[in-house]
Amino acid sequence: MLRLRDCHNVEDFRRLAKQRLPGPIFHYIDGAADDEITRRRNTAAFETCDLVPNVLAGVEEIDISTTLMGRKIAMPLILSPTALQRLFHWQGERAVARAAEAAGTWFGISSLATVSIEEIGASISTPKLFQLYVHKDRGLNQAMIARCKAAKFDAIALTVDTIVGGNRERCKRTGFTSPPRLTLRSIASFAAHPAWAANHYLRERFELSNLKDHVGEGSKIALSVADYFNTMLDQSMDWTTAEQIRAEWGGTFCLKGVMSVEDARRAVAIGADAIMVSNHGGRQLDGSRAPFDQLAEIVDAVGDRIEVICDGGIRRGTHVLKALSVGAHACSGGRLYLYALAAAGEQGVTRSLANLREEIVRGMKLMGKRSLAELGRDNLRWR
C-alpha cells in the first residue's frame, strides 16, 4: 500500500490514485479514446529525443522563471484546465488552485469545473485561465465570458478539439457519468472505497458550478462526458466563432487543441496570444500525433509571433526541458496533477509540483544551463 511519502514521481501518484478511487472514477482520469495509442504516444514521444548536456557551466544559481501570456511565473509548467475535479477529491479545484499559487504558476479551470469562476477568482492571486467550451446556448457562453471578466481572470483558452466526444471505451465499460450513477456495479466499487464515498456523498453537493443555472446535465442529470459533448456543445463552431469570442473577451486569448501548422498560422491571423499544442491527452482522436512530435514545425512556423505551449504527456522535468529546448514557451498537463489530487488532495498536488520543480532544476544544472533562455536545439539529438 502506497502512502503520500512514497510518491516521488507522477507514476507513483497514479498508483496511489488507483488505490484510493473507485474504478469508474480512476479510469475516467486514466483512460483515453479507442485503443489509447495516442495517450501512450504523448509520453513515449519524449523518449525519441536525447539531451546532450554541457559541463563546467557554473550552475550554483539558476533561474527557471518565465513570462507566459503576460504574467511572470516561477517555473515553465502550468496546470492545464480539467473537468469534474471534486469527483476525484472532495477539495477539487480549491486544492489545485492553492497548490498552483504556492508554486507560483498558472492554474486553469474548466467550463465543467466543480467550483465557480467567482470563487477561484477571489481565492488566488496567481494567474488564472478559464477554459471555454462553446455551447449551443449562446447565452451560456456569453455569461461565462462576462463572469470571467468580473472575476478578473487573466486569460481564456478556447478548446477547439472537442467538436464531438472521443470514443472513451473505459468509460463505457465502467458506466462512468457525471454525476456518478448508482448501479449495482458502481455501488460495489464505491463501497470498496469508503473514504471516497463518504467525502463525495456527505460533503458539499456535487455540481458543475458554472453551468448549473443553465443546464441540468452533468449536475442533476447523469451523463457521460462524450454524451455531454455530443449533445450540448456547438458543432458549428469555426474560425469565425473563435474570432468573435476573442473579440468579446477582449483580453489574453489562447486556443487549446491546435495540432497543425496551418491551424497555428490561423490562430496568429485571428489575433490569439497563445496556442496549446494538444490532443486532449489522447482522449479525442486516437492515432493522432503527440504534441511533442508536432512542436518543432509549429514553433518554426509561428513561434516568433505567438506563444506556444506544449500540452500533454509530461511526466518528468526532463520532458519540460526537451520541449523548451525545441522552442516551446512553457508546458502544461492535466494528469500530472490529477493523479496527485486524487491521491492526497492539496498535499498531493503540492508534492507533485515540488517533485517536478526539483526535476526541472536538477535537469537544468546537469544540462549546464543557468536560465531557460540558454536551452536550445543544440542540446538535443533525435534517434
Side-chain angles (χ1 to χ4, degrees):
M1 296 290 288
L2 281 173
R3 299 180 186 278
L4 178 59
R5 65 173 178 265
D6 301 316
C7 293
H8 305 294
N9 55 54
V10 174
E11 179 59 25
D12 288 341
F13 278 110
R14 178 184 178 276
R15 291 163 56 208
L16 184 53
K18 190 173 184 179
Q19 282 180 197
R20 296 191 171 177
L21 287 179
I25 311 298
F26 172 77
H27 287 295
Y28 170 73
I29 298 175
D30 196 57
D34 295 337
D35 298 311
E36 304 191 359
I37 293 167
T38 296
R39 178 186 66 84
R40 295 189 296 272
R41 184 180 289 163
N42 283 356
T43 297
F46 292 100
E47 298 174 11
T48 66
C49 176
D50 298 328
L51 294 167
V52 181
N54 297 121
V55 296
L56 300 176
V59 291
E60 184 177 5
E61 299 293 332
I62 68 165
D63 181 10
I64 65 166
S65 67
T66 190
T67 298
L68 185 70
M69 293 187 284
R71 295 294 302 270
K72 187 170 183 179
I73 51 177
M75 63 177 178
L77 179 64
I78 71 174
L79 306 188
S80 192
T82 61
L84 312 181
Q85 290 183 20
R86 282 203 292 118
L87 279 187
F88 316 141
H89 189 279
W90 64 271
Q91 295 173 343
E93 288 88 352
R94 297 174 181 120
V96 182
R98 290 191 293 265
E101 183 173 46
T105 194
W106 280 86
F107 168 56
I109 68 166
S110 170
S111 293
L112 277 65
T114 56
V115 175
S116 73
I117 291 167
E118 290 77 12
E119 181 177 340
I120 295 299
S123 66
I124 59 172
S125 59
T126 38
K128 296 171 286 293
L129 173 76
F130 182 74
Q131 173 270 325
L132 178 67
Y133 284 127
V134 175
H135 287 71
K136 294 176 182 177
D137 182 343
R138 294 188 179 182
L140 171 56
N141 300 328
Q142 292 167 350
M144 288 192 287
I145 293 170
R147 291 170 67 181
C148 287
K149 288 181 181 179
K152 293 181 168 50
F153 268 62
D154 299 276
I156 275 183
L158 172 63
T159 292
V160 295
D161 60 0
T162 54
I163 207 72
V164 295
N167 181 35
R168 304 179 189 183
E169 292 180 356
R170 285 207 228 179
C171 290
K172 291 179 177 179
R173 294 187 192 102
T174 64
F176 174 84
T177 61
S178 170
R181 184 181 288 125
L182 293 178
T183 65
L184 288 177
R185 185 175 181 180
S186 66
I187 289 171
S189 182
F190 299 161
H193 299 83
W196 177 90
N199 284 320
H200 180 71
Y201 287 107
L202 299 180
R203 292 183 184 270
E204 174 185 9
R205 183 181 178 88
F206 178 84
E207 65 179 24
L208 302 183
S209 303
N210 302 312
L211 305 175
K212 64 175 184 175
D213 294 335
H214 293 261
V215 297
E217 288 82 355
S219 294
K220 299 176 182 178
I221 302 170
L223 200 68
S224 73
V225 171
D227 285 343
Y228 189 94
F229 286 173
N230 291 338
T231 59
M232 306 301 292
L233 301 191
D234 184 0
Q235 295 186 17
S236 70
M237 181 175 66
D238 58 14
W239 284 98
T240 299
T241 309
E243 192 166 10
Q244 290 170 344
I245 290 170
R246 184 202 61 77
E248 184 176 353
W249 164 239
T252 301
F253 184 66
C254 175
L255 291 183
K256 181 178 182 291
V258 171
M259 284 292 291
S260 73
V261 168
E262 178 186 3
D263 287 344
R265 288 182 173 134
R266 294 195 75 169
V268 173
I270 69 164
D273 300 284
I275 54 173
M276 298 175 79
V277 181
S278 174
N279 57 32
H280 218 91
R283 296 157 83 84
Q284 288 296 102
L285 178 64
D286 197 31
S288 65
R289 296 200 82 198
F292 183 68
D293 285 336
Q294 283 294 91
L295 189 59
E297 62 181 272
I298 290 175
V299 167
D300 290 345
V302 300
D304 59 341
R305 291 176 288 161
I306 195 169
E307 292 182 332
V308 180
I309 302 164
C310 184
D311 176 78
I314 303 293
R315 295 293 181 270
R316 288 287 187 180
T318 50
H319 296 165
V320 175
L321 297 183
K322 289 178 181 181
L324 296 181
S325 296
V326 170
H329 295 79
C331 293
S332 63
R335 292 185 182 96
L336 62 87
Y337 73 85
L338 286 183
Y339 293 136
L341 173 65
E346 182 180 350
Q347 285 185 301
V349 181
T350 297
R351 184 178 175 94
S352 186
L353 289 176
N355 289 345
L356 287 161
R357 181 186 174 84
E358 287 175 9
E359 291 180 4
I360 293 169
V361 169
R362 181 169 54 248
M364 287 281 289
K365 290 186 174 185
L366 292 172
M367 288 288 293
K369 305 299 180 184
R370 288 169 292 185
S371 71
L372 301 180
E374 295 180 4
L375 293 169
R377 295 186 194 177
D378 288 347
N379 293 108
L380 299 177
R381 296 294 184 275
W382 274 264
R383 294 184 183 181

